[in-house]
Amino acid sequence: MSMIQEFKSFALKGNVMDLAVGVIIGGAFSTIVNSIVKDLIMPVVGLVTGGLDFSNMFIKLGNIPPTFKGNPDSYKDLQTAGVAVFGYGSFITVLINFIILAFIIFLMVKFINKLRRTEEPAPEPAATPEDVLLLREIRDSLKASPRV
C-alpha cells in the first residue's frame, strides 16, 4: 500500500500538475505555430525565394515501384508509395516551427517574469518585538545615567 500512497503523493504535487497543464497547452500552442508557419510564413518565404516550396524538397533514395500511380516529383506521393526519401524540406519547415515556438515561449516567460516582479510588493519591516524594545530602553537609560 505504501507504493500507491507514494505514487499518489508524487502525482498530486503541484509541479507534476503544472507540468501536465504545460504539456497540454504546449500541444495546443504547437498546432497554432504549425499553422502560422505553414499557412502564413512559408508562402511568403516561397514568394520571396521565387516560388520555392520547402515541403516538396527531398532526395529520392529508393526505387519507385512499378505499380506507382502518383506524381514522381511529389514528396507525399512517394512517401505514400513507401519509397525511401530524404525529406530535408520538411525538416526545414519543422526547424522554422521550432525557432518561432522557442522565440514566442521566450517572450512569454520574459513577460511573466516582468509581471511577477511588479506584483510582489516590497516586504514591510517586521514590527520590533516588545522584549527588544524593553531591552533598548534599559540600555539607553543605563547609557544616560552617570556612573559612580
Side-chain angles (χ1 to χ4, degrees):
M1 199 62 171
S2 67
M3 187 130 160
I4 293 173
Q5 298 249 345
E6 192 175 342
F7 177 75
K8 182 180 174 185
S9 172
F10 167 76
L12 296 179
K13 281 186 180 174
N15 293 341
V16 174
M17 297 306 285
D18 292 344
L19 180 63
V21 170
V23 167
I24 292 168
I25 290 174
F29 192 68
S30 177
T31 305
I32 293 169
V33 171
N34 285 336
S35 176
I36 288 171
V37 171
K38 179 183 171 195
D39 301 328
L40 302 176
I41 293 174
M42 294 312 275
V44 173
V45 170
L47 183 66
V48 169
T49 59
L52 188 61
D53 181 14
F54 285 108
S55 65
N56 239 2
M57 297 176 98
F58 63 92
I59 298 171
K60 185 174 53 139
L61 301 174
N63 294 325
I64 297 176
T67 58
F68 181 71
K69 297 192 191 242
N71 180 359
D73 295 327
S74 169
Y75 179 69
K76 281 190 176 185
D77 288 350
L78 290 173
Q79 267 193 324
T80 304
V83 178
V85 287
F86 184 74
Y88 62 93
S90 291
F91 176 74
I92 291 171
T93 303
V94 169
L95 185 63
I96 291 171
N97 282 356
F98 172 77
I99 291 169
I100 291 170
L101 183 61
F103 182 70
I104 290 172
I105 289 173
F106 166 75
L107 292 177
M108 285 174 40
V109 168
K110 188 174 177 176
F111 177 71
I112 289 171
N113 285 340
K114 185 178 179 182
L115 284 178
R116 284 185 180 163
R117 275 184 289 213
T118 58
E119 283 181 5
E120 294 176 4
E124 293 182 26
T128 309
E130 211 164 308
D131 56 342
V132 173
L133 291 174
L134 185 59
L135 287 171
R136 285 182 186 166
E137 272 183 51
I138 295 170
R139 178 196 65 198
D140 294 340
S141 68
L142 287 174
K143 281 184 184 178
S145 66
R147 294 197 176 188
V148 180

